[in-house]
Amino acid sequence: MSPSPSSLPWLFLFLFFSALFRSSQADVGSAAHYSPPYLPTACRGSDPSQFPSSNLFGSAGEGIWDNGAACGRQYLVRCISAPVLGTCVPGKTIQIRIVDRALSSVSRPSRKDTTMALSTTAFAAIANSSAKFVNIEFQQV
């Protein structure tokens, strides 16, 4: 049984949107920032080697903490919007490593209940550092 001619446009539309949604692998969330002291962490305690030399790291919010499995995960992160226009650095994507849990980090994030809290260096790379938080697109690599 072949599809009727009137159902073909719907079939093509369905296939188009299926392909569109399948090609997007990133999630949307929010990011705050936090500043030193960064040690000890919930991931590797007082071991300073857990921090990348670029200082592009962050602490996981509860949504991605995954009972500690987030430790060491790396994410591509970019700012997509903020309450104040012009806050995001256009076209800038960074790669960060999760080194802590935001809920228990020594230094408190600039805002609670975000997807992640970024080090001051990481946050400043994608947004104006005076912002308390930004909306982000992030993807595990």
Side-chain angles (χ1 to χ4, degrees):
M1 178 176 193
S2 64
S4 70
S6 63
S7 66
L8 283 178
W10 290 108
L11 178 63
F12 287 123
L13 194 59
F14 172 77
L15 292 173
F16 171 76
F17 282 111
S18 294
L20 180 69
F21 289 120
R22 201 173 324 128
S23 66
S24 176
Q25 299 294 321
D27 291 307
V28 175
S30 58
H33 54 84
Y34 72 126
S35 51
Y38 297 120
L39 292 173
T41 69
C43 291
R44 292 179 55 195
S46 295
D47 180 3
S49 70
Q50 67 187 306
F51 300 103
S53 59
S54 64
N55 286 322
L56 299 178
F57 60 87
S59 58
E62 293 305 292
I64 63 170
W65 176 243
D66 198 14
N67 291 323
C71 291
R73 285 183 185 160
Q74 298 201 36
Y75 289 93
L76 294 175
V77 180
R78 75 178 183 100
C79 179
I80 56 173
S81 68
V84 177
L85 288 176
T87 299
C88 294
V89 175
K92 181 71 173 186
T93 300
I94 60 172
Q95 185 168 329
I96 63 118
R97 179 184 304 151
I98 296 298
V99 298
D100 205 353
R101 181 182 190 183
L103 187 64
S104 62
S105 62
V106 174
S107 176
R108 306 312 312 151
S110 58
R111 181 177 172 151
K112 292 181 179 183
D113 299 326
T114 56
T115 308
M116 59 182 69
L118 301 174
S119 66
T120 53
T121 302
F123 193 87
I126 62 167
N128 183 321
S129 58
S130 65
K132 288 208 178 266
F133 78 100
V134 294
N135 296 312
I136 58 167
E137 181 179 74
F138 65 101
Q139 177 180 0
Q140 186 177 344
V141 291

